[in-house]
């Protein structure tokens, strides 16, 4: 019997029934309805309500929202691919998440919450000066501009895999719905749509896991097939900074990475600060940790499930999946394709991940523009002018991100570079915050130059590392894959094994060390510059971490902590 060609098989897996489209449209309609409710029925009467929910948000929905922001399409599709290609070492980054939760709840939150901040970067002006506040906000803006287009692009790839619809048709339509409910509904609409989207995401992953496990013969088969190819493993224990996921990288390096993405990230911190009291904020940190743990388990197992399904006919080498991030969508169509409506639930789940991240980013960007770019430099706005400003920021910034999706699609390899740039930009910002919280002798000028050197060094190393990968000079060893039992015809992959080129050690660093690198360089340069002769700027002990306050005995001049006067500093 003549075998089916891989191109024909791929086309046969790209089918969406009308029920699938109905499920997808239903999710968008619910999200839009939530925006209408909070925008026109339960109106946000003040900018504080719009941006912070009146600081009366409830713990449970905020926890759902925080987890939803973490589960971007990149995570939902990337974690299964990571375990499929490289094994389980990545899962141990949960150690870094645990350390971040301990550090954030005991150092960052007590300071930032007690100051009643809207933008986390207001703290940088209180602790240092206005220049550092603007610098921190610029780093955050850079982070969002690099990250959000990718967040939109990746699930569009998944949609293309299961439907064949062009990504530039679906992306603007879906994002316009998100921009609408974020602009009219504010933080409350963002949080409550995140709750719906989180439930859909988790439900979609459970559907795939249950049906897929039954098809491959049970949980034991999944574990056995991954164990046979050494995909189930502990991280290497050697202290080599170039080891992709060593035990030190997934613990120490990942701790810095998570602090950069959570503790000094306005998108995340804004929800912590919107809760009614500090105790609730700390609980939200731990709610986030356990939510991340659940998602890591679900996504990680789905990657192992994918390998158990394709252990004797790898879709990457056979070109059934053209991109690694299309592995999970392929598995979905394979195991759920005969159940009408189920692929629609999965695609809705993937886009839910994108929508939650996009809406959160847009809302936090509105807060940063208002608090950090406008209030310190312009006269006081009326309530009406403020409302128009923050809604305009959401619309304009959202449209810019949608436009940048076209750029990401055309440039291709820049996708990885932009992802790395996110860590490179947040590393120096982490260093500046840590200097503010723990090093009383650092002044604004020292912190600024430290941050500039940190972003320059981390950005340069990130760029060189990505260029080395693009030219196949930097190669990471992948786990074994086989195609000896494929039921379709395909062009065999080249047997040539990629070998490591001559790349300087510093450019071969694991990506998990990049945030730590930028942070460390920033702190070292800032500390060295502080040794010069200069006037010591006195500060209030409230601006330092609680663990440090008891050691601050020589209090002198106390700055004005009245937030109404912050713009006069």
């Amino acid at each position: 019997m003549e075998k089916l060609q891989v191109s024909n098989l791929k086309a046969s897996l790209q089918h969406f029934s009308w029920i699938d489209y109905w499920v997808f449209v239903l999710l968008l309609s619910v999200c839009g309805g939530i925006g209408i409710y909070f925008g026109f029925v339960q109106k946000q009467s003040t900018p504080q309500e719009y941006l912070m929910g009146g600081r009366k948000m409830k713990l449970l929905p905020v926890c759902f929202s925080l987890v939803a922001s973490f589960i971007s399409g990149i995570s939902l599709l990337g974690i299964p691919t990571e375990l499929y290609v490289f094994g389980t070492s990545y899962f141990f980054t949960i150690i870094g998440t645990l350390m971040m939760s301990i550090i954030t709840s005991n150092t960052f939150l007590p300071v930032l919450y007690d100051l009643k901040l809207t933008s986390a970067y207001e703290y940088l002006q209180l602790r240092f000066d206005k220049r550092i506040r603007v610098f921190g906000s610029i780093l955050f803006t850079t982070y969002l501009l690099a990250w959000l287009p990718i967040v939109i692009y990746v699930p569009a790839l998944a949609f293309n895999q299961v439907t064949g619809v062009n990504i530039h048709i679906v992306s603007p339509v879906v994002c316009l719905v998100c921009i609408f409910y974020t602009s009219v509904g504010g933080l409350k609409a963002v949080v409550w749509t995140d709750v719906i989207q989180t439930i859909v995401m988790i439900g979609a992953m459970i559907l795939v896991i249950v049906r897929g496990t039954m098809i491959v013969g049970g949980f034991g088969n999944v574990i056995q097939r991954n164990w046979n190819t050494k995909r189930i493993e502990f991280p290497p224990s050697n202290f080599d900074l170039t080891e992709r996921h060593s035990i030190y990288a997934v613990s120490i390096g990942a701790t810095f990475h998570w602090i950069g993405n959570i503790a000094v990230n306005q998108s995340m911190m804004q929800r912590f600060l919107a809760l009614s009291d500090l105790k609730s904020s700390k609980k939200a940190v731990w709610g986030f940790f356990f939510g991340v743990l659940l998602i890591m388990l679900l996504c990680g197992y789905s990657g192992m499930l994918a390998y158990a399904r394709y252990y004797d006919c790898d879709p990457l080498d056979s070109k059934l999946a053209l991109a690694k991030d299309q592995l999970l969508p392929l598995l979905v169509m394979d195991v759920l394709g005969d159940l009408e409506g189920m692929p629609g639930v999965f695609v809705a789940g993937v886009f839910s991940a994108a929508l939650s991240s996009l809406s959160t980013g847009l809302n936090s960007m509105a807060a940063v523009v208002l608090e950090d770019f406008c209030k310190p430099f312009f006269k006081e706005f009326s309530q009406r002018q403020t409302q128009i400003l923050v809604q305009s920021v959401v619309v304009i910034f959202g449209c810019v991100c949608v436009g940048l999706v076209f750029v990401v699609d055309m440039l291709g390899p820049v996708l990885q570079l932009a992802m790395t740039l996110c860590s490179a930009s947040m590393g120096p910002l982490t260093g500046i915050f840590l200097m503010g919280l723990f090093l009383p002798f650092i002044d604004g000028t020292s912190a600024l130059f430290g941050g500039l050197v940190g972003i320059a060094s981390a950005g340069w190393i990130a760029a060189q590392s990505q260029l080395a990968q693009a030219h196949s000079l930097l190669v990471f060893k992948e786990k074994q894959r086989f195609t000896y039992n494929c039921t379709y015809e395909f062009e065999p992959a080249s047997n040539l094994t990629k070998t490591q080129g001559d790349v300087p050690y510093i450019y071969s660093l694991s990506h998990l060390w990049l945030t730590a690198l930028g942070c460390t360089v920033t702190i070292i340069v800032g500390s060295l510059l502080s040794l010069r002769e200069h006037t010591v700027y006195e500060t209030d002990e409230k601006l330092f971490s609680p663990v440090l306050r008891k050691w601050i005995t020589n209090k002198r001049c106390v700055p004005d902590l009245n937030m109404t006067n912050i713009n006069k500093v």
Side-chain angles (χ1 to χ4, degrees):
M1 182 177 177
E2 186 178 351
K3 289 185 177 181
L4 191 69
Q5 290 292 322
V6 65
S7 57
N8 295 330
L9 178 59
K10 189 187 306 179
S12 71
L13 291 172
Q14 290 182 332
H15 59 86
F16 234 39
S17 68
W18 68 269
I19 297 178
D20 294 308
Y21 281 110
W22 184 85
V23 169
F24 184 63
V25 172
L26 178 63
L27 171 72
L28 296 182
S29 301
V30 170
C31 293
I34 291 173
I36 292 173
Y37 175 76
F38 285 109
F40 300 104
V41 179
Q42 192 182 89
K43 293 183 179 181
Q44 315 299 296
S45 57
T46 67
Q48 272 293 310
E49 281 194 50
Y50 183 87
L51 296 174
M52 303 295 291
R55 299 187 190 274
K56 296 178 181 178
M57 299 300 295
K58 300 300 182 182
L59 177 61
L60 188 60
V62 167
C63 288
F64 272 97
S65 180
L66 290 164
V67 174
S69 299
F70 160 73
I71 321 169
S72 66
I74 300 170
S75 303
L76 206 63
L77 302 181
I79 294 175
T81 300
E82 173 67 33
L83 269 73
Y84 183 101
V85 176
F86 294 105
T88 58
S89 292
Y90 174 82
F91 177 78
F92 291 87
T93 56
I94 198 70
I95 299 172
T97 317
L98 174 62
M99 296 304 298
M100 177 279 299
S101 300
I102 295 172
I103 293 170
T104 300
S105 59
N106 289 288
T107 59
F108 287 88
L109 272 183
V111 175
L112 299 181
Y113 192 92
D114 287 348
L115 293 174
K116 301 299 180 186
L117 306 178
T118 298
S119 166
Y121 310 120
E122 294 176 52
Y123 167 79
L124 299 180
Q125 180 171 344
L126 286 171
R127 172 61 181 86
F128 297 113
D129 55 46
K130 188 183 294 185
R131 298 171 302 167
I132 308 300
R133 178 180 181 177
V134 173
F135 180 67
S137 302
I138 290 173
L139 288 181
F140 173 72
T141 304
T142 303
Y143 163 82
L144 277 187
L145 283 173
W147 185 60
L148 287 180
I150 303 170
V151 165
I152 301 167
Y153 178 76
V154 171
L157 277 180
F159 193 80
N160 173 259
Q161 171 71 20
V162 299
T163 66
V165 176
N166 189 291
I167 63 171
H168 298 309
I169 295 176
V170 67
S171 294
V173 173
V174 173
C175 292
L176 284 175
V177 174
C178 181
I179 292 169
F180 168 75
Y181 74 70
T182 305
S183 63
V184 300
L187 184 66
K188 289 183 179 179
V190 170
V191 168
W192 282 106
T193 52
D194 283 352
V195 171
I196 303 297
Q197 291 156 1
T198 303
I199 294 172
V200 172
M201 282 184 281
I202 293 176
M205 293 302 296
I206 291 175
L207 279 174
V208 175
I209 286 172
V210 172
R211 184 78 189 281
T213 301
M214 293 170 60
I215 289 175
V216 301
F219 179 76
N221 274 350
V222 174
I223 299 300
Q224 188 62 49
R225 290 172 183 175
N226 282 271
W227 181 268
N228 290 342
T229 52
K230 299 181 179 179
R231 277 173 167 75
I232 300 177
E233 61 181 0
F234 285 96
S237 58
N238 57 312
F239 190 75
D240 180 1
L241 297 181
T242 65
E243 183 71 51
R244 193 166 181 270
H245 288 149
S246 70
I247 188 63
Y248 302 100
V250 299
S251 55
I252 301 172
T255 298
F256 282 93
H257 173 79
W258 278 101
I259 290 175
N261 280 278
I262 306 300
V264 302
N265 184 338
Q266 173 67 17
S267 298
M268 304 299 286
M269 191 55 68
Q270 190 167 333
R271 260 83 54 82
F272 291 127
L273 301 180
L275 288 161
S276 57
D277 55 67
L278 179 58
K279 185 178 180 180
S280 297
S281 295
K282 290 184 176 182
K283 287 181 179 178
V285 173
W286 292 105
F288 170 75
F289 168 75
F290 287 109
V292 168
L293 178 60
L294 173 63
I295 296 302
M296 292 274 279
L297 287 169
L298 292 176
C299 292
Y301 180 79
S302 67
M304 295 169 62
L305 174 62
Y307 179 76
R309 176 63 172 164
Y310 303 120
Y311 75 102
D312 56 357
C313 184
D314 174 56
L316 297 177
D317 289 341
S318 66
K319 304 302 180 185
L320 183 59
L322 296 180
K324 290 178 179 177
D325 286 330
Q326 291 181 328
L327 271 172
L328 187 60
L330 175 65
L331 178 69
V332 169
M333 296 308 296
D334 190 8
V335 303
L336 297 180
D338 60 328
L339 302 177
E340 289 190 352
M342 292 302 98
V345 171
F346 172 77
V347 171
V350 174
F351 266 103
S352 291
L355 290 174
S356 62
S357 300
L358 178 61
S359 61
T360 299
L362 295 179
N363 186 258
S364 60
M365 194 65 228
V368 167
V369 169
L370 174 66
E371 298 294 335
D372 301 329
F373 292 137
C374 292
K375 282 188 176 181
F377 301 101
F378 300 100
K379 65 179 182 179
E380 187 173 345
F381 296 105
S382 68
Q383 187 168 301
R384 177 62 179 164
Q385 289 173 324
T386 302
Q387 194 73 14
I388 293 173
L389 173 64
V390 293
Q391 290 181 324
S392 299
V393 169
V394 170
V395 174
I396 294 171
F397 198 81
C399 292
V400 169
C401 290
V402 174
L404 288 175
V405 174
F406 290 82
V407 178
V408 171
D409 185 41
M410 289 187 295
L411 296 180
V414 174
L415 182 64
Q416 279 190 334
L417 178 59
M419 291 174 65
T420 307
L421 181 61
C422 296
S423 295
S425 60
M426 298 309 277
L429 189 55
T430 301
I432 291 174
F433 267 91
L434 290 177
M435 286 191 292
L437 291 169
F438 291 99
L439 302 178
F441 58 87
I442 302 289
D443 69 325
T445 300
S446 301
L448 178 60
F449 277 95
L452 289 171
V453 175
I455 189 67
S457 57
W460 173 260
I461 292 171
Q464 292 301 315
S465 175
Q466 293 302 315
L467 286 172
Q469 291 182 52
H471 292 91
S472 299
L473 297 175
L474 184 58
V475 180
F476 301 108
K477 186 178 179 181
E478 300 179 357
K479 298 296 182 181
Q480 284 182 300
R481 302 196 297 265
F482 307 100
T483 56
Y484 60 80
N485 195 29
C486 291
T487 59
Y488 51 87
E489 295 284 353
F490 62 93
E491 187 71 27
S494 172
N495 291 324
L496 294 176
T497 302
K498 293 182 180 180
T499 57
Q500 178 79 36
D502 185 17
V503 179
Y505 183 88
I506 192 68
Y507 300 152
S508 304
L509 292 180
S510 166
H511 64 98
L512 287 176
W513 288 113
L514 194 57
T515 304
L517 173 72
C519 175
T520 302
V521 170
T522 298
I523 292 175
I524 290 175
V525 172
S527 298
L528 290 175
L529 285 175
S530 69
L531 298 177
R532 76 192 193 285
E533 290 187 9
H534 66 285
T535 303
V536 177
Y537 291 88
E538 314 300 346
T539 52
D540 192 306
E541 64 178 19
K542 292 181 180 179
L543 300 176
F544 297 101
S545 170
V547 299
L548 190 68
R549 289 173 186 172
K550 62 181 180 180
W551 300 104
I552 301 176
T553 57
N554 187 21
K555 293 189 296 181
R556 303 180 185 87
C557 176
V558 178
D560 184 3
L561 293 182
N562 185 343
M563 298 307 296
T564 60
N565 295 324
I566 184 174
N567 300 320
K568 300 177 183 179
V569 176

